[in-house]
Amino acid sequence: DLAVYNSHWLSRSFPDYRGPGIVVYPLIDPGEYRTQPGDAVTLVNVSEFKGSRVFYALAEAFPGVQFHGVRGYDEQDIRDLPNVTLSGPRDDMREVYGRTRILLMPSQIETFGRCAIEAAASGIPTIAAPTPGLREALGGAGVHCAVDDIEGWKAALGRLLDPGGWEVASVRALARSAELAGIAKEQAEEWCRVVDGFERR
């Protein structure tokens, strides 16, 4: 009766589907995630699929910077580097973002990019792979690098480690967080109207 997609690009990935469909972004309330940013460069889910290779390459290239990896539930890429701290999965992601200054998302694919928008609620900028989902989620607020372009990731991280570069990116992240909160609210209201229409029928 209804297909619900969490991004527009995903809805376009099913060209043969002819039924009714609607896009509803993840309902991310900025107030639930807002915190004071920390000082670490963070990767959530230290797996190869999520970009652990990029994470560790950057940790090696920036030995004076603290890196924080959050373990996930699939197979994890665990390495011992002096400037890398690993922690377990968290129910309250504010604990993670409270340690984070810059978020990394060198994922092979993301249907949306929820972590980036959760972090943006605190003005934390994200360097992300240019997947369709991450581009749609971040809009103009993200910095994008191809997963295999390690030098590009180094350059992007270097710019965000500069206080001036971080401030500019942080303002963009906060603006995108507020913008998406409004869009998602409107989409959810439309979803409710559609579902109510089913019930009336």
Side-chain angles (χ1 to χ4, degrees):
D1 293 318
L2 178 68
V4 182
Y5 308 95
N6 70 345
S7 57
H8 288 283
W9 86 266
L10 190 62
S11 72
R12 294 190 292 269
S13 300
F14 297 88
D16 295 332
Y17 174 70
R18 295 290 185 262
I22 191 170
V23 173
V24 182
Y25 288 157
L27 297 174
I28 300 169
D29 178 1
E32 293 183 14
Y33 297 96
R34 190 174 295 123
T35 186
Q36 185 66 33
D39 58 5
V41 178
T42 297
L43 173 69
V44 176
N45 194 340
V46 193
S47 68
E48 183 177 346
F49 187 80
K50 293 292 187 178
S52 61
R53 183 177 65 87
V54 173
F55 175 72
Y56 287 116
L58 292 174
E60 291 176 351
F62 293 85
V65 175
Q66 182 62 42
F67 286 74
H68 177 213
V70 181
R71 292 192 298 270
Y73 295 100
D74 48 353
E75 184 175 350
Q76 300 293 283
D77 181 3
I78 305 300
R79 308 184 199 180
D80 185 15
L81 277 73
N83 61 329
V84 173
T85 301
L86 299 175
S87 63
R90 291 285 184 272
D91 290 329
D92 186 355
M93 288 297 290
R94 283 177 299 183
E95 298 177 21
V96 173
Y97 304 130
R99 299 176 61 171
T100 301
R101 184 168 180 81
I102 299 164
L103 185 71
L104 303 177
M105 292 194 74
S107 308
Q108 294 181 27
I109 191 169
E110 294 281 352
T111 57
F112 182 71
R114 183 185 180 101
C115 283
I117 303 309
E118 291 175 354
S122 301
I124 297 169
T126 296
I127 309 174
T131 69
L134 284 165
R135 283 191 175 279
E136 184 172 337
L138 285 163
V143 178
H144 297 282
C145 297
V147 174
D148 58 355
D149 182 13
I150 297 299
E151 293 305 314
W153 284 87
K154 292 178 184 178
L157 181 55
R159 289 191 295 270
L160 287 181
L161 289 171
D162 176 77
W166 188 89
E167 286 293 341
V168 171
S170 179
V171 169
R172 290 176 180 162
L174 285 168
R176 184 57 173 166
S177 171
E179 179 184 26
L180 277 180
I183 292 172
K185 182 176 183 294
E186 292 175 357
Q187 290 174 338
E189 290 171 351
E190 176 62 19
W191 181 85
C192 289
R193 285 193 290 270
V194 173
V195 173
D196 286 344
F198 288 155
E199 292 177 353
R200 284 193 295 273
R201 290 209 309 271

